[in-house]
Amino acid sequence: MPRWRSSGHSGEAVRETYEVKIPVDVYRAVSGMGSQFAILAAAYAKVASVLTGERNISVGYRSAECEQPRLLQMTVQEGSWLSLIGESDRALRVCGGYLSGGQLSARTVSAFGTVLDVTGWTGHKSTGTDHGGSGLVWGFDMEGDAPLLQLTYRTDFYGEECITRYAGYYVHALELLVCNPATEHHDHTLVSPDELDAHLRELSGPAVGLPAEPFHQLFSDQVAKTPGALAVKYGDQECTYRELDQLASRIARCLLKHGLTTESVVAVNLQRSVEWVAAIIGVMRAGGAYLPVDPNWPTDRLRAILKQAEPRVLLVDQVTEDIRSAVTDSLDDAARIVTIGAATAEPANGDPRIHVSANQLAYIYFTSGSTGEPKGAMCEHAGMMNHLLAKVEDLDITSGDMLIQSAPATFDISLWQAIAPLLVGAATTIMSADTVRDIDDFIVEAGNVGATVIQVVPSYLEMLTARLSEIEPTRRLPAVRHVVVTGEALKKGLVERWFELCDIPLTNAYGATEASDDTTHHVMHRPPASASVPVGRPVRNVQVLIVDENLQLVPLGAPGEIAFAGVCVGRGYINDEKRTAAAFVESRIDPALRMYRTGDYGRWGQDGVLEFLGRRDEQIKIRGFRVELGEIENAMLRIDGVRDAAVVVKHDVDTDTGLVGFYTSTHVIEAETIREALAEVLPEYMIPPHLCRLSSMPLTDNSKIDKKALLNEVDHAAVERTEGAAPQTATEQMLAGLWVELLGLSASSVGRNDDFFDRGGSSLSAIRLVVKLGKQVSLLDIVNSPVLSDLAAVIDRKTGH
């Protein structure tokens, strides 16, 4: 069970007892139902299941017939209280709780962390053991006309506040059980009204008013204040607030001329640039909804997203045959393709002053979908504004700041990186993808522009930390005062290495595209004391609720699904009612409260911060992008000749190199053929680096693909190198060792004739290799000489070996 100690506890193991009286009417009702001990065990099982998030419950059980506790194992399935009593009755008979001569041998007291001792319920005194080895004992003692529930606990494990809540859950479970035993037990929450109030009041972000004006109007106000200040920088191009404002107005007028109406979708298919930022503002200024699409996407993916989103206008750098084909196949004749050159050539007649309300659609970001079809998450202006202001406030962004815009346009964090600084007169530097890929170029560029706030994913922070450790302290991001980390789980070891290196604060940010991006911030000036890195507290106007499978609020400290409520919650998925209904739901706490179910699991820590526990489905993060393994599998199944497909993730390997795709086929299909086919429909980061053809898929007992068996297969899937192909020189052997480490390969499978990218290397793992080699080679060297022996020769030549 979750252990919550008193905040000022010294850590010494002292044993205390908390008592609460069982209501007389509840005691009489239990006594009149016959199977009293089964009822007491059922109530315990319900409480334990809610507190742990597990269906299978084990506890040490002791009654007057058992001098020592025996192992009691119960399963809490959905159903009525009566069915739960029946399950506990069955479990008690198995453990021998009713029969002093039971066949199971007694377990020692110290074997049970928790004990349920029902001896005192019928007036017997608990003798023969003091339960000294247990952290928590649930017992009873008769007092007058009803028993006391006694919780005896170790104070180094539990605090009085925690134990008081546990006792309340148990008494409430008994009350619910006896009042209407035929009702479904999962339809009730054990959380008291006071605790519910604490959830909503103390564990929510501060309630703060939002400006009446939309973002683009506040930007216009800032233009009036600082027209000549730098707004956006890209390479050698610098754009002031006035110039950016004029570009945005030209784009807005062009869109309106092409028939844009309120909430019409504009697909922005531009490379990141000054014009791209102007396009974001221009789309919103014209009353439209901004939809970023990647110019490097395969045509089929572009076609699918255009068909789903039905944009009125596609804004492009230039019109290509692929773009024209995608629009023709996906959209009606009313859709227009407009080049950014034509849009910015419109007369500059000022802001068109289109009214935009807070509940109007602001943008759409597409995320991976398990059915094989991406989902377009729609968010409104109020949610976007709330997130922008949360970043400005929590990171203390002022007019003197320079932010780095480094994320791809299709990654939702790109939005706040680009436009949040424009609310306060700050500036943004757009870093090219090539600069971001070269860790040294990134560090140099950040220093040259005087970057003060940067945001990276954990895998990039890992490389940044490694490289900064090799650089003189004075050149380690000299102006940076805050680093934001998001997109993946942040490991404590990395945080510790960061603070050993420097004292720049880290903020662990967490959220969902469907909830207007980040919804919690955890600002750190030192490594956390907890075992994992929390994701923090809700930002302004955001509620975080931890719920069970039936959307009931779970107790403090108990694990459950993370759900968001408040202004952050988006509208749903565009043109997708079914998936919208599954993820955007009414709260059982308050039907007027609309929630977004994340599919992530977490719990509240004792200090009121949210802890992320992971996912229970097959959704992962790759370089910050959310990916459903099912979408990759569906893409593989559409390849001619592929009969079946499954994708798993290697253990202890980064996801960008750890994806493994297995497939069966009607005829021999080489992995490279699969890879080329996937490249036509999926972004590069979603293509499994490792592909393996099987004669048949392993199946579970219910005939589903056995992914656990496939994970075991991963270790055997690597092809052994051919005879005579072993690395020969010291450099080749050193390089082979790095490939084993970075790509998750077996040492026996790496040969001197292997190609880095064919063996599962990606652009990100190539950057890691550059860092590991201490810049002995460049990223370009790896691209030009990906074969192990060739790359080793490059290293030898450059180092003079």
Side-chain angles (χ1 to χ4, degrees):
M1 293 186 182
R3 296 177 177 179
W4 288 45
R5 288 191 316 197
S6 299
S7 57
H9 192 269
S10 63
E12 182 182 355
V14 178
R15 197 166 279 281
E16 294 185 0
T17 298
Y18 174 81
E19 296 181 336
V20 62
K21 190 165 186 176
I22 303 292
V24 174
D25 57 338
V26 173
Y27 170 63
R28 289 173 178 169
V30 171
S31 300
M33 291 177 72
S35 304
Q36 297 183 52
F37 294 161
I39 293 171
L40 299 180
Y44 171 81
K46 175 64 178 180
V47 173
S49 179
V50 168
L51 288 175
T52 61
E54 300 292 338
R55 291 186 181 274
N56 297 319
I57 302 302
S58 298
V59 66
Y61 175 80
R62 184 173 183 271
S63 67
E65 290 79 16
C66 311
E67 184 173 311
Q68 296 292 336
R70 297 177 183 274
L71 176 63
L72 176 63
Q73 295 178 305
M74 295 172 284
T75 301
V76 181
Q77 301 285 6
E78 289 191 0
S80 67
W81 288 103
L82 284 176
S83 65
L84 185 57
I85 294 170
E87 162 63 15
S88 65
D89 184 73
R90 180 205 62 79
L92 284 169
R93 293 184 183 279
V94 170
C95 88
Y98 291 140
L99 305 173
S100 58
Q103 298 299 309
L104 299 180
S105 60
R107 296 271 297 271
T108 61
V109 176
S110 60
F112 298 107
T114 304
V115 170
L116 174 63
D117 187 343
V118 300
T119 306
W121 180 266
T122 54
H124 293 83
K125 289 296 182 182
S126 179
T127 57
T129 177
D130 61 2
H131 306 301
S134 301
L136 177 59
V137 177
W138 300 68
F140 301 92
D141 188 24
M142 287 298 297
E143 182 182 81
D145 54 358
L148 294 171
L149 170 65
Q150 296 179 324
L151 296 189
T152 302
Y153 61 98
R154 285 176 52 171
T155 56
D156 56 333
F157 287 175
Y158 304 96
E160 184 177 358
E161 182 272 337
C162 169
I163 292 298
T164 302
R165 285 193 291 107
Y166 286 9
Y169 302 148
Y170 189 86
V171 172
H172 189 40
L174 280 180
E175 290 173 336
L176 291 169
L177 187 156
V178 300
C179 284
N180 198 342
T183 61
E184 304 288 296
H185 64 79
H186 53 267
D187 276 343
H188 302 283
T189 179
L190 301 183
V191 174
S192 69
D194 287 343
E195 186 178 338
L196 172 59
D197 181 66
H199 273 275
L200 300 179
R201 180 170 37 84
E202 300 172 12
L203 298 177
S204 296
V208 184
L210 287 172
E213 303 84 1
F215 161 78
H216 54 272
Q217 183 56 55
L218 295 182
F219 167 68
S220 297
D221 296 343
Q222 188 60 48
V223 171
K225 297 175 186 176
T226 57
L230 176 64
V232 182
K233 175 179 170 59
Y234 179 61
D236 295 331
Q237 184 183 7
E238 294 187 347
C239 185
T240 66
Y241 272 77
R242 181 191 294 112
E243 292 167 339
L244 185 62
D245 178 64
Q246 291 174 348
L247 283 174
S249 288
R250 292 173 191 266
I251 293 170
R253 289 192 174 278
C254 178
L255 295 173
L256 291 169
K257 185 178 75 173
H258 284 282
L260 197 75
T261 58
T262 299
E263 293 198 348
S264 290
V265 177
V266 180
V268 177
N269 189 26
L270 302 175
Q271 299 289 348
R272 290 180 301 121
S273 61
V274 169
E275 289 76 17
W276 165 66
V277 178
I280 297 172
I281 303 170
V283 170
M284 296 179 183
R285 187 170 279 180
Y290 163 67
L291 165 63
V293 295
D294 191 331
N296 298 315
W297 272 348
T299 305
D300 283 352
R301 188 174 183 84
L302 175 61
R303 187 179 289 114
I305 285 177
L306 294 181
K307 186 175 182 180
Q308 184 79 9
E310 300 176 341
R312 184 70 176 77
V313 178
L314 181 63
L315 195 59
V316 300
D317 285 312
Q318 58 182 348
V319 181
T320 66
E321 283 305 312
D322 283 346
I323 288 174
R324 196 183 304 278
S325 171
V327 170
T328 301
D329 294 345
S330 308
L331 304 176
D332 60 31
D333 294 339
R336 295 288 181 267
I337 304 175
V338 178
T339 66
I340 189 64
T344 55
E346 285 288 317
N349 296 325
D351 187 339
R353 295 286 176 177
I354 301 296
H355 175 71
V356 174
S357 62
N359 63 353
Q360 194 167 313
L361 189 60
Y363 63 79
I364 303 168
Y365 278 88
F366 271 82
T367 67
S368 181
S370 59
T371 63
E373 296 297 329
K375 300 175 290 188
M378 302 183 287
C379 290
E380 299 174 344
H381 277 269
M384 180 187 77
M385 176 62 74
N386 192 68
H387 177 243
L388 296 179
L389 292 176
K391 282 292 190 289
V392 169
E393 294 165 1
D394 292 357
L395 302 178
D396 193 24
I397 299 172
T398 66
S399 59
D401 278 308
M402 171 63 78
L403 277 76
I404 293 296
Q405 198 294 303
S406 56
T410 52
F411 189 0
D412 59 355
I413 69 172
S414 64
L415 187 64
W416 88 263
Q417 289 180 344
I419 67 175
L422 304 179
L423 289 171
V424 294
T428 298
T429 291
I430 299 173
M431 268 197 191
S432 70
D434 288 341
T435 300
V436 174
R437 279 192 289 264
D438 190 308
I439 198 75
D440 277 356
D441 285 355
F442 178 90
I443 294 169
V444 169
E445 179 69 5
N448 288 342
V449 302
T452 57
V453 178
I454 62 175
Q455 182 181 35
V456 294
V457 295
S459 53
Y460 199 88
L461 181 68
E462 181 80 58
M463 296 185 295
L464 188 62
T465 303
R467 190 68 187 111
L468 289 176
S469 67
E470 302 169 351
I471 296 176
E472 295 177 12
T474 56
R475 294 171 51 223
R476 295 175 183 169
L477 305 173
V480 172
R481 61 172 185 78
H482 213 117
V483 175
V484 185
V485 190
T486 193
E488 299 164 347
L490 180 59
K491 297 176 182 177
K492 183 176 179 179
L494 175 55
V495 175
E496 291 172 338
R497 290 194 297 278
W498 175 262
F499 284 115
E500 288 172 1
L501 182 70
C502 64
D503 57 2
I504 300 174
L506 286 177
T507 287
N508 193 20
Y510 166 73
T513 303
E514 293 87 342
S516 308
D517 199 0
D518 293 327
T519 47
T520 68
H521 288 158
H522 186 64
V523 181
M524 294 176 284
H525 298 273
R526 63 189 65 84
S530 54
S532 61
V533 182
V535 294
R537 300 175 186 273
V539 302
R540 61 197 330 267
N541 300 316
V542 169
Q543 289 181 326
V544 175
L545 304 170
I546 311 297
V547 298
D548 62 19
E549 295 173 353
N550 299 288
L551 302 183
Q552 296 284 8
L553 194 71
V554 303
L556 290 169
E561 183 179 0
I562 300 172
F564 301 129
V567 70
C568 64
V569 176
R571 190 178 293 184
Y573 301 117
I574 189 166
N575 295 324
D576 196 337
E577 293 182 4
K578 183 177 181 180
R579 288 193 285 186
T580 296
F584 296 82
V585 298
E586 288 182 355
S587 168
R588 296 189 70 165
I589 302 166
D590 178 1
L593 197 63
R594 187 164 174 265
M595 302 191 310
Y596 167 66
R597 301 180 63 175
T598 65
D600 293 337
Y601 280 74
R603 64 185 172 205
W604 289 111
Q606 188 169 348
D607 49 359
V609 297
L610 183 64
E611 298 176 9
F612 175 77
L613 300 177
R615 293 192 65 85
R616 291 190 179 179
D617 58 14
E618 293 192 312
Q619 191 181 95
I620 59 171
K621 289 287 187 76
I622 299 179
R623 305 176 211 169
F625 290 95
R626 199 170 72 192
V627 172
E628 297 272 8
L629 298 185
E631 182 174 359
I632 304 173
E633 292 168 351
N634 275 283
M636 293 175 69
L637 288 169
R638 288 195 291 269
I639 298 171
D640 186 34
V642 172
R643 277 192 328 220
D644 213 344
V647 178
V648 298
V649 183
K650 282 187 180 184
H651 296 307
D652 304 321
V653 179
D654 289 333
T655 50
D656 71 304
T657 58
L659 284 179
V660 184
F662 290 92
Y663 63 97
T664 62
S665 57
T666 56
H667 56 278
V668 175
I669 305 177
E670 299 297 335
E672 188 57 34
T673 302
I674 299 289
R675 191 172 287 111
E676 290 173 356
L678 292 177
E680 295 178 2
V681 294
L682 296 178
E684 175 266 336
Y685 61 84
M686 289 178 67
I687 300 173
H690 310 277
L691 291 162
C692 180
R693 180 174 180 264
L694 300 176
S695 57
S696 62
M697 289 286 182
L699 302 177
T700 62
D701 291 339
N702 58 2
S703 298
K704 294 183 178 181
I705 293 177
D706 189 343
K707 291 201 169 183
K708 289 184 178 179
L710 287 179
L711 281 171
N712 295 330
E713 185 76 23
V714 167
D715 295 332
H716 307 292
V719 178
E720 294 294 308
R721 61 179 176 241
T722 58
E723 187 176 351
Q728 297 176 358
T729 68
T731 305
E732 289 181 6
Q733 292 168 357
M734 175 274 295
L735 202 53
L738 291 178
W739 287 25
V740 168
E741 177 184 348
L742 293 173
L743 305 182
L745 304 172
S746 64
S748 62
S749 74
V750 179
R752 63 191 311 269
N753 300 320
D754 288 354
D755 184 294
F756 180 77
F757 298 103
D758 286 346
R759 293 308 308 271
S762 64
S763 56
L764 195 56
S765 54
I767 296 173
R768 291 193 180 99
L769 182 58
V770 171
V771 173
K772 289 282 187 182
L773 289 170
K775 298 293 287 185
Q776 294 180 74
V777 296
S778 67
L779 189 61
L780 189 60
D781 288 329
I782 299 175
V783 172
N784 291 336
S785 303
V787 174
L788 188 141
S789 58
D790 293 341
L791 187 58
V794 172
I795 295 172
D796 288 342
R797 185 168 62 252
K798 287 193 170 187
T799 58
H801 292 166

